[in-house]
Structures are given as structure tokens and as C-alpha cells.
Amino acid sequence: MSKLLVKGRQKLGGEVSVQGAKNSALPILAATVLAKGENVIFNCPCLSDVDASCGILRYLGCRVRREGGALLIDSAGVDRSDIPDSLMRKTRSSIVFLGAVLARTGRARLCFPGGCEIGPRPIDLHLKALRQLGAEIREEHGCLDCRAPYGLKGGRVALSFPSVGATEDIMIAAATASGTTTVTNAAREPEIADLADYLNRCGAHIYGAGEGVLVIDGVPSLHGALHTIIPDRIVAATLLSCAAVTGSELVLKGAVTSHLGAVLPVFEEGGCSLQSRDGDLKITAPHRLRSMRVVRTMPYPGFPTDAQAPLLAAACTALGTTVFVENIFENRYRHTGELIRMGASVKTEGKVAVIEGVPRLYGASVEATDLRGAAALVIAALAAEGKSTVSGVKYLERGYENLETVLSDLGAEIKKI
Ligand code: UD1
């Protein structure tokens, strides 16, 4: 089991390229099942969640190979419609394969992804929508058997909540359904627009991605395509938090500022200065961050739930009190117990966390229990006096490409053991 050793209170500096977005890569990899033929997905991050998706693709009959930053997927040979439980459990986003496999083969058999570290992960919205497109779904013993032997039919889907995964599942399934599908209250995340962009390159007719109402004119089939994954806005927010907590100046190469619309004002509120030029984003953090008042997580374009934990870690040493309200997932403050071990003053009740900034955190041995919580502990360790050991690195590796190397190149004293 690897751990990260961090010696805190080192200033960071320099330039860093923002990796490709995990949350774009995963649904796009699932969608390649439907795009018969050769696909080349550029800027695809090397992550354990991506490896898990590749495992599912291979099982289904795809040929998958990596060349540097690109994944080459040939889905011409897809000949299975089941996904074993062991593969489903490796990544929670595996549920997005449901729409793709069903649309490609007329059947999909897989088990529920189950709950996870950050709370229950229901899929009722996915199932309701697929039923509205004509899928017959039997749920038995925690497994699903979905059939659409004569293909899916376009229809009207109104989501009661703009679920990212459900929107992606519907978009993929409807791409080759007969007729037109309209999705209202669709998720508007940049990763939705990226998936639509990829599907449209494959011959789909999807309009309105990122705008809340999606219109999908079904086409008979999709072909393979070349596509470049967008930069990861959550990794960008994490790197901004690293700069903010260490009073550093960093240049994030390739960060898309329009994807960070609700994030950047929060850093400015904390006293950071931000400059965007030619696709780069420069942050200059004050010696000590100020309180960011109230941060509420919301569906996009609101403040992203995935950036809550990294920012909360930065708020621990800010001057004043910051209040977080987590509106998306139930169980997203688990890392705060470990922050308290490092000297942070954090009180949580339900969806609210109150962070009273302290002048200093102290190095400690801490353990991560989820992906963004792991990033939060690394950020706290960067600020802490003395040495910290962060275990649970496997969570970090689900979403961050070599974070320890990235940070050590920027001047942090961090190494994996
Ligand atoms: C995606 C992201 C995840 C991010 C989240 C919210 C990927 C791979 N993961 O997850 O990093 O934190 O969006 O931005 O892209 N819900 C239901 N029923 C459903 C589906 C969802 O009740 O059928 C609820 C969930 O319990 C949760 C909320 O809706 O409370 C948001 O979930 P959703 O937007 O679907 O998130 P994911 O797609 O799972």
C-alpha cells in the first residue's frame, strides 16, 4: 500500500499543465462501444478509473491500446452484453455503460454499482429514462437485465434532478434510437458538452448540450472518431487550492476559465489574484488566505461538489470562518476528521461544515477514504508544519495523474513510498 510523505510549508512556483478530465474520459470511453470502428481519444489521463473502463471495454470485445496520452479503441468486435460484477465495482461510473451496451447490442446485463465512499449512488433516474425510451428492465437480486430487442425509441425525458450520469446515459442511448429524444432539466456540466461533441464527431445529431434542454435526433449507427478530452476543471481547482494554501504563484496551462466560472470568484474572495491569458491561468495567492464566507455546492454552473474538499482544506488556515454547504452528496465531509488531527477547526452538521481558520496546521499521519478527500489531505499536508503521511493513495490515483510528481516539480517536498 503506497503512502505519500509530505514535508509542509514549502512555497510552490512555476507552470503546470492540467490533465485531461476524468469525468469526460469515462463516459466517452463507454460511448465508444456504440461507435463501431477505430476511435482515438487524445489527452486521456492515466488513472485507475480509466484502466477500469478499459477493462470493461476489453471484456465487451473491444481492442484497446494506449499510445502516450491517447487511447485507441476499436469497438468493431463488441460481442457481449453482460458486464461482470467484479468489473462493475471497480468504478462507480461504470453505470454509464448501461445505455451504450443496450443501444449497441439490444441487451445489457449488469449489477448495480452500489453505494460508495461519498454516499448512496442511486440509478433510478437512469432506469426511468431508459424505460421511457422503450427499454424493458428487470431488476433482480441487485442486478439488471435490460432489453430493447427492436431498438430504442426516441421520447420525452424530464429529469427531476440534473444528474450528470443519467444525462450521459440517456444521451448515449438516444444517439441511435429511432426518432427524436428531448431531455429537459439535463445536466449542463462541460463534460456533457464534451461527450456530445465526441458523439457528434461519430455521426450523432445532438443539440443543446450544456444548455439544459437536449435534443437528440437518432441516427441509424455511429462510426469511430478522433476526439481530444477537455482539461480537468476539478484538477485545476485542486491546483488552485494548492497555490492558495501555500501562498504561491502558479500558472495552470490549459485551464479553461469558462469551466471555472463559480470557482474563480471564491479564490478571489480569499484574496487570490487571477489572470487569464492565452489559455493559461495564473494565480497569485496572498501570504495568508482570507475566509471565503459561504461556499454552496450546486449542479453546474454552480460550485462543483468535487472541488469542495480541496477548497475546504485550503480554508483550514485562512483568516476567518468559511462555511460550506454540500448540496449534492450526503457523505462528503469524511476527510474532515483527519483534518482535525492536523489541527484544523472544523464542525460539521448534515450538509454544513464550519471551518474556523487556524494560523497553522501540524503534520500528522492521516488516511484518505475517497478521491477528493485524498486531495484535501495532500493540500492540508502542504500547509502543515512538519511531516505528514497520507495513506489511501489508491483513491487519489482514481482521479489525479501522478499528483506527487506534479507537486514535486512545482517545489513541494512530497514523495510516494
Ligand atoms: C458525476 C461525477 C462526479 C460528480 C457528480 C456531481 C462522473 C464520473 N462523476 O457523478 O465526480 O461529483 O457528477 O457533479 O462524471 N442521483 C439520484 N438518482 C440517479 C442519479 C443520481 O438520486 O439516478 C443523485 C445522486 O445520489 C446525487 C445527485 O443525484 O445526490 C448527483 O448525482 P449525479 O449528477 O448523477 O452524479 P454522478 O453522475 O454519479
Side-chain angles (χ1 to χ4, degrees), residues 22-23 26 93 120-126 161-166 168 189 305-306 328-329 332:
K22 168 180 86 78
N23 289 353
L26 301 181
S93 51
R121 300 294 278 261
I123 55 166
D124 53 311
L125 300 174
H126 300 239
F161 181 88
S163 153
V164 174
E168 292 165 347
E189 271 69 359
T305 172
D306 289 347
I328 309 295
F329 287 107
R332 272 217 131 156

Side-chain angles (χ1 to χ4, degrees), residues 168-306:
E168 292 165 347
D169 234 352
I170 302 162
M171 204 155 71
I172 297 170
T176 55
S178 59
T180 299
T181 300
T182 311
V183 188
T184 49
N185 200 24
R188 291 186 279 165
E189 271 69 359
E191 295 78 19
I192 300 286
D194 204 24
L195 173 62
D197 190 21
Y198 162 72
L199 288 167
N200 285 340
R201 283 171 202 270
C202 298
H205 292 167
I206 301 173
Y207 311 96
E211 290 168 19
V213 180
L214 276 171
V215 178
I216 304 149
D217 284 333
V219 295
S221 66
L222 299 184
H223 51 76
L226 312 185
H227 180 77
T228 303
I229 302 279
I230 57 171
D232 194 312
R233 64 197 166 97
I234 306 303
V235 170
T238 304
L239 292 167
L240 292 175
S241 302
C242 291
V245 87
T246 52
S248 303
E249 187 172 289
L250 290 184
V251 176
L252 274 55
K253 300 196 78 61
V256 183
T257 45
S258 61
H259 295 171
L260 294 163
V263 171
L264 301 184
V266 176
F267 283 93
E268 283 172 333
E269 174 100 47
C272 298
S273 114
L274 295 159
Q275 277 175 294
S276 148
R277 201 181 321 156
D278 302 333
D280 294 344
L281 175 64
K282 180 171 162 188
I283 178 168
T284 310
H287 179 63
R288 186 172 178 197
L289 199 63
R290 290 197 304 263
S291 135
M292 290 154 283
R293 295 165 198 262
V294 184
V295 180
R296 294 182 183 83
T297 67
M298 298 281 186
Y300 191 85
F303 189 90
T305 172
D306 289 347

Side-chain angles (χ1 to χ4, degrees), residues 1 334-335 338 341 365-369 377 389-392 395:
M1 283 268 251
R334 284 177 70 191
H335 58 288
E338 300 298 281
R341 285 170 73 116
S365 190
V366 290
E367 181 166 0
T369 51
L377 297 182
T389 311
V390 182
S391 47
Y395 294 106

